[in-house]
Amino acid sequence: MVARRGPQPGVTTASALFAWEGAPDGVPSRRLVTRCALARVCGACGRPLGHPIAFVGTSDEVARNAFHLPPLHDGCVDAVRALPAPVPLTVVRTAGFEFVRPGSGDADPLPRFVPNSLL
Amino acid sequence: MAISDVQEYCHLTEADVEAIGRELDALRERVERSRGAKDAAYIRRVIRAQRWMAASARIGMIVAAPLDKRYRRPLQAASAVSLGLAKILENMEIGHNVMHGQWDWMNDPEIHSSTWEWDTGQPAEQWKHSHNYIHHQFTNVLGYDNDIGYGVLRMAREQRWTPANLGQPVYNALLATLFQWGVALHDLDLDAIRHGKKDPEEMRRQLAQIVRKGRHQLVKDYVLYPALTGPRWKETIRANVAANLMRNVWAYLIIFCGHFPDGALHFTEDELEDETRAEWYLRQILGTANFEGGPLLHLMSGNLGYQIEHHLFPDLVSNRYAEIAPEVRALCEKYELPYTTGPLHRQYGQVLRTIHKLTLPNRMTKDDRPPTGEGVTIEQHQRVRHEDTHQRRTELGAWSRAAGRSRA
């Protein structure tokens, strides 16, 4: 039986999470972030997203309403917040989001998520 | 031919490409800002209409059962047509678009990409992987996008010819009539299975889900509803076969007209490297084709007659594609980009011609696609060499691969 990747009790390493697979520096893989956005799966467990959708981000990301970490299940938020991070991460919940690919002139070179119906 | 450098193919400067990107961004932002109650009312109206059509079809078959043949036959025929139209509407304008997340902003848990399960053989979860991700991210990229021929048809000259391609007209007819089951198997990645590259455990998980969904569909259409019509169950089965056939052929026709008319181009994986948002837009414009028609035709085709606009903005509400299409077309004209469109019959005629031409080796036929400049395309022999060394992307056919380590 093949175990599904996802948050395991007591596991707080990035490599245990779906979108962080093969990302040694603790940053989610860009390829998998795109996959989470389009296939609408959770960045932590890799299973289909539910309703509502959760995003975690820094206070700056919350203020800009643009998040870099992939969408999550409500129940998977804690696994991501438990990862080592330089600043505390805040959770926002939304029904939907826009996925924005980076443009060449963008100050932000990473793909980002813009929640469009905050709850 | 397949494009390996979109910018060079279009004779655009980097500044042009970025300017196109900015204009399309502005278009998208404008629709997002104005999206609201009117759009929500639209999708709710469509869903309501679809449910009435489906319900009246099912009730019509039950009511017709005890009637005299004179009244029964026309009522059954009308019910079959109504059911076929309801399935078309559900699959095309509702299911496909809801699963893209176009209506998630409404915050309606029922009309949401995470909860919608559609009336067809493929599980929604696998569709969101094979279509939303693989097809929309790698649109028309050879070796990546499984929509190029659905794993059974040779649709590009760069795809290797084998004697099995001689049967394409037959495979095409089978694919059209059994389309829901072709789509059901779509995320399995038949090419990977043929080449022994499919993880058996992965395949088992996917097949189990397909069997569950398929069984549900079969029981509903061929056991439960026929049973409700008592001794006329055989006639109800026939009516349901007709409804499914209608939906299958229509969905096949619309999907094939979106990517295989002459103007829709294929790409090599070189084009994916470090693609910016503007370059991604450009690839979507070049890889897709629209068709023309009235509002009813667009509604029944899930607004995929605006395939170019859909590929530019797959998560933008479908009822607004008609509004932005003239602006997208004007932008293409401004930068002398092809905006492939035409009447549905002409687009499908070109698709059919491609299918039949590619039954034969390239040396026996001529390419109908627009010519390109030196060095921006790859030719058949290069493609063959590439295929020999190419590692298929691990995402293909890997809907349930939440366990990356198991495949290492």
Side-chain angles (χ1 to χ4, degrees):
Chain A
M1 182 68 189
V2 179
R4 278 201 169 209
R5 177 176 288 265
Q8 307 292 321
V11 176
T12 54
T13 58
S15 58
L17 305 179
F18 177 66
W20 280 257
E21 178 192 339
D25 51 358
V27 175
S29 143
R30 188 165 164 159
R31 178 177 59 82
L32 289 171
V33 166
T34 303
R35 178 171 162 186
C36 291
L38 301 185
R40 307 191 95 73
V41 293
C42 170
C45 69
R47 294 189 177 92
L49 285 168
H51 177 273
I53 297 160
F55 285 99
V56 296
T58 62
S59 53
D60 180 48
E61 287 176 313
V62 174
R64 288 190 298 126
N65 194 38
F67 296 81
H68 293 109
L69 295 183
L72 302 166
H73 288 122
D74 234 356
C76 292
V77 161
D78 287 343
V80 175
R81 290 178 83 187
L83 296 174
V87 290
L89 298 175
T90 306
V91 185
V92 299
R93 291 175 180 83
T94 177
F97 60 84
E98 318 295 341
F99 176 59
V100 182
R101 292 176 168 80
S104 68
D106 287 3
D108 185 348
L110 296 172
R112 48 201 179 270
F113 297 88
V114 179
N116 59 21
S117 44
L118 290 169
L119 302 174
Chain B
M1 44 97 217
I3 308 295
S4 58
D5 189 330
V6 167
Q7 201 172 308
E8 194 176 339
Y9 169 73
C10 297
H11 309 293
L12 295 171
T13 64
E14 252 173 60
D16 288 338
V17 175
E18 290 311 312
I20 292 168
R22 278 194 300 276
E23 291 202 42
L24 290 170
D25 283 345
L27 209 54
R28 174 188 173 128
E29 281 159 22
R30 195 188 74 209
V31 176
E32 281 171 4
R33 272 198 308 273
S34 63
R35 191 170 54 188
K38 220 171 132 186
D39 302 286
Y42 165 81
I43 194 64
R44 291 202 168 100
R45 204 163 52 239
V46 172
I47 292 172
R48 213 167 31 245
Q50 185 274 333
R51 287 180 178 167
W52 272 111
M53 284 161 75
S56 55
R58 302 293 191 188
I59 293 167
M61 288 182 211
I62 296 168
V63 169
L67 299 179
D68 182 72
K69 194 174 171 180
R70 252 185 322 169
Y71 303 108
R72 193 174 72 244
R73 286 288 163 84
L75 189 50
Q76 274 175 338
S79 299
V81 170
S82 179
L83 185 60
L85 293 174
K87 281 174 180 277
I88 285 171
L89 206 49
E90 195 282 333
N91 285 184
M92 308 297 288
E93 178 64 346
I94 307 171
H96 165 256
N97 293 329
V98 168
M99 286 190 288
H100 264 297
Q102 291 182 9
W103 302 97
D104 285 4
W105 58 272
M106 287 164 51
N107 189 24
D108 182 332
E110 193 193 352
I111 310 171
H112 196 269
S113 60
S114 62
T115 53
W116 197 272
E117 185 59 70
W118 58 346
D119 183 5
T120 187
Q122 194 186 37
E125 206 176 315
Q126 294 192 31
W127 172 260
K128 283 183 274 186
H129 178 264
S130 66
H131 177 80
N132 289 8
Y133 175 51
I134 297 293
H135 172 61
H136 276 273
Q137 176 69 6
F138 306 111
T139 309
N140 274 22
V141 178
L142 293 162
Y144 289 57
D145 183 358
N146 282 334
D147 277 30
I148 306 177
Y150 275 70
V152 291
L153 296 175
R154 178 174 180 249
M155 295 303 297
R157 298 178 78 81
E158 294 78 10
Q159 290 174 308
R160 195 200 310 256
W161 181 87
T162 68
N165 294 122
L166 291 169
Q168 287 214 143
V170 177
Y171 313 151
N172 179 52
L174 286 172
L175 184 62
T177 49
L178 300 170
F179 196 59
Q180 75 160 321
W181 303 112
V183 172
L185 302 177
H186 195 215
D187 200 33
L188 282 175
D189 191 7
L190 299 178
D191 243 14
I193 294 170
R194 269 200 297 267
H195 292 103
K197 291 180 181 172
K198 181 83 182 179
D199 176 355
E201 188 62 28
E202 177 75 31
M203 187 159 70
R204 193 188 61 77
R205 276 200 303 268
Q206 287 185 284
L207 279 173
Q209 199 185 37
I210 293 166
V211 167
R212 268 198 306 277
K213 179 74 194 286
R215 191 171 53 213
H216 176 83
Q217 290 296 108
L218 293 171
V219 167
K220 182 182 64 171
D221 279 342
Y222 302 120
V223 179
L224 183 64
Y225 283 113
L228 293 176
T229 55
R232 301 289 175 208
W233 61 272
K234 276 187 192 168
E235 290 170 22
T236 306
I237 285 180
R238 272 200 296 275
N240 289 350
V241 167
N244 280 318
L245 184 65
M246 259 175 79
R247 183 272 318 276
N248 286 352
V249 173
W250 183 251
Y252 150 87
L253 177 79
I254 298 304
I255 289 174
F256 270 59
C257 285
H259 292 287
F260 306 117
D262 291 350
L265 305 174
H266 296 116
F267 308 93
T268 71
E269 76 273 27
D270 304 336
E271 192 43 46
L272 293 174
E273 294 299 320
D274 302 321
E275 198 176 47
T276 65
R277 182 164 74 244
E279 289 164 345
W280 183 85
Y281 281 146
L282 207 51
R283 183 161 57 83
Q284 304 307 316
I285 292 172
L286 297 176
T288 49
N290 284 5
F291 58 78
E292 295 157 354
L296 184 62
L297 176 65
H298 285 302
L299 171 70
M300 296 312 286
S301 53
N303 278 296
L304 292 180
Y306 301 109
Q307 187 77 236
I308 297 172
E309 289 71 21
H310 173 60
H311 264 263
L312 287 169
F313 311 115
D315 49 7
L316 215 55
V317 287
S318 60
N319 60 318
R320 304 290 282 276
Y321 290 152
E323 170 192 320
I324 62 172
E327 293 171 73
V328 173
R329 187 171 190 159
L331 183 68
C332 290
E333 282 165 9
K334 180 172 155 189
Y335 288 94
E336 295 180 359
L337 292 172
Y339 183 89
T340 306
T341 189
L344 185 59
H345 64 86
R346 194 177 74 199
Q347 304 299 78
Y348 187 62
Q350 292 178 355
V351 172
L352 264 188
R353 187 180 57 192
T354 299
I355 290 169
H356 286 81
K357 268 193 170 184
L358 295 184
T359 59
L360 301 171
N362 286 353
R363 66 175 182 279
M364 298 174 73
T365 60
K366 267 190 358 197
D367 195 351
D368 298 306
R369 287 170 195 274
T372 58
E374 192 74 16
V376 294
T377 69
I378 62 164
E379 295 303 333
Q380 169 70 7
H381 64 282
Q382 287 174 283
R383 177 72 198 156
V384 170
R385 274 212 310 275
H386 166 74
E387 277 181 349
D388 290 342
T389 57
H390 181 52
Q391 287 294 314
R392 288 183 70 76
R393 284 188 77 94
T394 54
E395 298 98 319
L396 295 176
W399 137 82
S400 64
R401 198 181 61 86
R405 277 178 291 200
S406 69
R407 291 169 64 91

